[in-house]
């Protein structure tokens, strides 16, 4: 046995022992290296395609000033959230992550309910992330067709939903594959995303004709308000762009049981993905601000249907824009596969603990691929259902972008607050902030509460039923169903849900339960194997 393989084996033994201390047996293969765990988080961020997807939020709510300086403001607060989460991930690296931490840190009086709420909020976050990424990818594909047809092609909701459905189904097939294949793909995702960033940062200013180049005073200081809100509030609304773009950094947490050296790899993947995204994303926004011209209304109302695609068309011409935009679509597609990969692991973990209806059917590992195929298709089908909002109105389907942020903040806030609000025996892992833990957490929680309130407002002050912000409807409806299911007489979770349930059975018991929901329903828990590491 070589030294490298011996070290790898010892890492796996240590990781499995830590997981056992948290109450779970090793069920996945640990195929993800620290670089590949970073790749999962970084590919879900998917800088260039993500910025392209939500540029319509920043441009009418502040223009270049919001794009450049709003990005920096948001990045600082996002890093605070990431640091607070990284500490929790280092202390307890498990796929359940957020709801597991909530249950272990909250008071016994409310831990089951809070864990339930976080589990459902995290589940809808994962599904909304897949839906929003693939919906954006479908729109980007129609934009490519528009570019190829010299802006003659005009898309419809039927066309977009058909493309969206094909994307989601193809992702379900891809993510059902073996873990090793999915792990190796992350390296390709990292390479493509970084290359795309540098193409825009370097090549766009070189290729842009003089009539579309902006002065420094315009690119760094012009504030354009097109939606009608007061300027200060408009600037705050523009922050949805960076907050949605640099989102999903908890994704690496849900890969904890497939990562090597998880107690350090996971927190550094969170912090690293935020830091790299903040720097490269700011470079992209600066480049766009200098090269997009000053006719923002023309860019937003372009028949291409995507502001960034129109900017590329103006700078690179039809063929150049089509080539670059095709790479953006590929990167966006990769984002979708990573979203479903991570979401299926979170859903699997929640089903393992009996949190979902029919958990015993979702808590299954395919014997051939060693992946949770059932939860992959469950998430995919729910994403297809969310996509039907497109037939209600444009604002209804746009709600999936704010839904992804608001629901994720509910699941982020709760474990961070429970760590400090309740008496518990939290023990930091290798990654910890020491005396800065509480101040950073306080900033993170205050910011998330503030922004969640902001994101329930409509895009414009004068709105109609069709053009209202449907985030509160979708999120409120989903979470109301979760609360109803918890307190439902006889069958509700209040009668049987006890939070994370160990799936490790001691040798003297000599049995293994079929599913976490069965154990929960019987009111029995397995003995937790404690291993010193």
């Amino acid at each position: 046995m070589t030294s490298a393989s011996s070290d790898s084996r010892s890492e796996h033994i240590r990781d499995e022992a830590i997981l056992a201390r948290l109450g779970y047996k090793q069920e996945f293969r640990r195929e993800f290296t620290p670089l590949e765990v970073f790749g999962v988080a970084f590919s879900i961020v998917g800088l260039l395609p993500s910025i392209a997807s939500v540029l319509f939020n920043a441009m009418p709510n502040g223009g270049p000033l919001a794009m450049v300086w709003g990005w920096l403001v948001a990045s600082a607060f996002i890093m605070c959230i990431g640091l607070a989460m990284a500490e929790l991930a280092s202390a307890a690296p498990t796929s359940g992550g957020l709801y597991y931490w909530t249950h272990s840190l909250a008071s016994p009086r409310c831990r089951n309910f809070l864990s339930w709420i976080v589990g459902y909020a995290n589940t809808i976050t994962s599904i909304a992330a897949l839906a929003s990424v693939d919906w954006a990818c479908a729109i980007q594909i129609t934009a490519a067709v528009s570019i190829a047809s010299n802006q003659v092609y005009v898309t419809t909701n039927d066309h977009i939903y058909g493309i969206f459905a094909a994307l989601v189904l193809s992702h379900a097939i891809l993510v059902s594959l073996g873990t090793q294949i999915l792990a190796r793909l992350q390296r390709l995702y990292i390479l493509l995303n970084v290359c795309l960033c540098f193409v825009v940062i370097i090549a766009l200013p070189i290729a842009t004709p003089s009539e579309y180049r902006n002065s420094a005073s315009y690119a760094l200081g012009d504030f354009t308000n097109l939606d009608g809100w007061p300027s200060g509030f408009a600037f705050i609304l523009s922050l949805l762009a960076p907050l949605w773009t640099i989102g999903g950094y908890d994704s690496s947490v849900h890969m904890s049981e497939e990562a090597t050296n998880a107690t350090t790899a996971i927190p550094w993947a969170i912090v690293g993905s935020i830091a790299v995204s903040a720097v490269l994303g700011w470079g992209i926004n600066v480049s766009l601000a200098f090269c997009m011209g000053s006719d923002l209304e023309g860019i937003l109302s372009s028949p291409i249907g995507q502001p960034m695609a129109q900017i590329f068309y103006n700078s690179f011409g039809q063929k150049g824009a089509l080539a670059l935009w095709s790479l953006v679509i590929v990167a966006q597609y990769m984002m979708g596969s990573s979203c479903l990969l991570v979401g299926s692991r979170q859903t699997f973990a929640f089903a393992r603990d009996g949190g979902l209806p029919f958990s015993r059917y979702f808590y299954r590992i395919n014997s051939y691929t060693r992946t949770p195929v059932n939860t992959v298709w469950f998430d995919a089908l729910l994403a297809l259902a969310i996509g039907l909002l497109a037939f209600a109105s444009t604002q209804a389907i746009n709600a999936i972008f704010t839904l992804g942020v608001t629901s994720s903040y509910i699941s982020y806030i709760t474990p961070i607050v429970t760590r400090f609000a309740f008496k518990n025996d939290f023990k930091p892992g290798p990654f910890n902030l020491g005396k800065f833990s509480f101040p950073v957490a306080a900033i993170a929680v205050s910011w998330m509460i503030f922004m969640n309130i902001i994101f329930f407002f409509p895009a414009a002050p004068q709105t109609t039923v069709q053009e209202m912000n449907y985030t509160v409807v979708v999120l409120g409806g989903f979470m109301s169903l979760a609360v109803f299911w918890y307190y439902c007489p006889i069958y509700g979770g209040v009668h049987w849900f006890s939070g994370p349930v160990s799936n490790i059975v001691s040798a003297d018991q000599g049995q293994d339960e079929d599913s976490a929901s069965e154990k929960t329903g019987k009111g029995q828990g397995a003995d937790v194997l404690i291993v010193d590491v």
Side-chain angles (χ1 to χ4, degrees):
M1 180 180 292
T2 65
S3 175
S5 61
S6 177
D7 290 344
S8 176
R9 178 59 185 158
S10 64
E11 280 186 351
H12 286 182
I13 292 173
R14 183 168 63 251
D15 286 326
E16 291 174 18
I18 292 171
L19 185 61
R21 292 174 64 179
L22 300 175
Y24 299 118
K25 64 183 178 182
Q26 186 69 45
E27 296 181 280
F28 294 103
R29 293 182 178 134
R30 290 191 179 268
E31 299 281 3
F32 284 75
T33 66
L35 175 64
E36 289 160 350
V37 174
F38 165 81
V40 171
F42 188 62
S43 65
I44 285 183
V45 171
L47 270 177
L48 188 62
S50 289
I51 293 173
S53 301
V54 289
L55 196 56
F56 67 88
N57 284 102
M59 290 185 71
N61 289 303
L65 186 145
M67 292 165 59
V68 174
W69 304 116
W71 184 275
L72 287 184
V73 170
S75 295
F77 287 105
I78 293 169
M79 181 57 78
C80 289
I81 302 170
L83 288 169
M85 192 180 302
E87 282 196 295
L88 295 169
S90 183
T94 173
S95 296
L98 301 158
Y99 76 84
Y100 181 97
W101 305 335
T102 299
H103 190 271
S104 63
L105 297 172
S107 166
R109 292 174 299 174
C110 58
R111 62 174 43 161
N112 290 345
F113 176 72
L114 291 179
S115 180
W116 177 278
I117 291 299
V118 170
Y120 273 95
N122 210 198
T123 299
I124 190 61
T125 297
S126 301
I127 296 168
L130 172 64
S132 60
V133 167
D134 277 2
W135 185 260
C137 189
I139 293 175
Q140 289 167 0
I141 290 172
T142 62
V145 176
S146 179
I147 294 173
S149 66
N150 270 322
Q151 306 184 34
V152 173
Y153 168 76
V154 178
T155 188
T156 65
N157 274 347
D158 291 343
H159 294 170
I160 297 175
Y161 187 84
I163 298 170
F164 166 76
L167 291 170
V168 173
L169 294 176
S170 67
H171 281 140
I173 295 171
L174 177 63
V175 176
S176 296
L177 299 176
T179 304
Q180 188 174 28
I181 298 172
L182 299 172
R184 300 298 90 84
L185 282 173
Q186 303 310 313
R187 301 189 181 197
L188 173 62
Y189 294 178
I190 294 172
L191 178 63
L192 178 59
N193 275 292
V194 171
C195 289
L196 277 175
C197 292
F198 282 110
V199 166
V200 173
I201 293 171
I202 297 172
L204 183 62
I206 296 173
T208 301
S210 58
E211 63 264 31
Y212 293 111
R213 292 180 183 173
N214 294 321
S215 65
S217 61
Y218 179 88
L220 303 177
D222 181 78
F223 190 91
T224 301
N225 185 354
L226 301 177
D227 281 345
W229 285 108
S231 295
F233 192 77
F235 177 81
I236 295 172
L237 285 176
S238 76
L239 299 180
L240 172 63
L243 292 177
W244 186 84
T245 299
I246 313 179
Y249 33 85
D250 66 311
S251 57
S252 53
V253 173
H254 304 304
M255 304 307 298
S256 294
E257 295 175 31
E258 296 169 75
T260 57
N261 198 15
T263 55
T264 56
I266 303 304
W268 281 111
I270 294 171
V271 175
S273 63
I274 293 173
V276 173
S277 299
V279 173
L280 291 179
W282 189 72
I284 290 171
N285 277 284
V286 170
S287 182
L288 291 172
F290 273 96
C291 302
M292 65 184 182
S294 57
D295 183 15
L296 301 191
E297 291 186 81
I299 293 173
L300 289 167
S301 61
S302 161
I304 291 179
Q306 281 275 287
M308 187 180 287
Q310 183 61 51
I311 294 170
F312 288 170
Y313 188 89
N314 294 341
S315 297
F316 295 106
Q318 181 188 23
K319 292 183 178 178
L322 187 58
L324 181 56
W325 196 247
S326 297
L327 294 177
V328 171
I329 292 170
V330 172
Q332 184 83 1
Y333 183 83
M334 292 175 174
M335 283 176 61
S337 68
S338 294
C339 286
L340 183 54
L341 169 67
V342 169
S344 65
R345 272 47 175 180
Q346 194 283 329
T347 307
F348 171 86
F350 199 37
R352 177 173 61 189
D353 294 324
L356 294 174
F358 310 109
S359 285
R360 63 179 298 174
Y361 299 106
F362 295 127
Y363 176 36
R364 290 287 184 269
I365 296 289
N366 184 275
S367 59
Y368 179 72
T369 64
R370 303 301 299 170
T371 58
V373 173
N374 290 9
T375 56
V376 169
W377 286 92
F378 172 74
D379 283 10
L381 291 175
L382 286 182
L384 289 174
I386 289 177
L388 294 173
L389 285 170
F391 297 102
S393 71
T394 300
Q395 287 300 324
I397 190 62
N398 284 346
I400 60 176
F401 294 97
T402 48
L403 175 64
V405 177
T406 52
S407 59
S408 67
Y409 279 4
I410 292 173
S411 58
Y412 295 172
I413 289 169
T414 311
I416 296 173
V417 169
T418 56
R419 175 187 169 184
F420 296 100
F422 298 106
K423 187 176 181 180
N424 52 63
D425 59 349
F426 176 78
K427 295 179 178 62
F431 183 98
N432 69 87
L433 301 178
K435 64 182 180 181
F436 294 104
S437 294
F438 179 75
V440 168
I443 293 171
V445 169
S446 300
W447 171 256
M448 288 188 284
I449 292 173
F450 174 68
M451 292 310 301
N452 256 15
I453 295 171
I454 294 297
F455 287 152
F456 289 138
F457 281 80
Q462 305 299 324
T463 190
T464 63
V465 173
Q466 289 75 25
E467 297 302 315
M468 67 173 280
N469 185 342
Y470 278 80
T471 302
V472 67
V473 177
V474 180
L475 179 60
F478 184 87
M479 297 310 297
S480 295
L481 287 175
V483 172
F484 172 78
W485 174 230
Y486 185 79
Y487 286 111
C488 181
I490 303 175
Y491 302 105
V494 69
H495 302 293
W496 49 264
F497 182 73
S498 57
V501 179
S502 172
N503 63 2
I504 298 178
V505 181
S506 61
D508 60 339
Q509 284 180 301
Q511 61 180 356
D512 195 5
E513 302 288 356
D514 286 338
S515 72
S517 56
E518 290 181 12
K519 290 194 287 287
T520 308
K522 296 175 184 176
Q524 299 171 342
D527 293 338
V528 178
L529 175 63
I530 304 297
V531 181
D532 292 328
V533 294

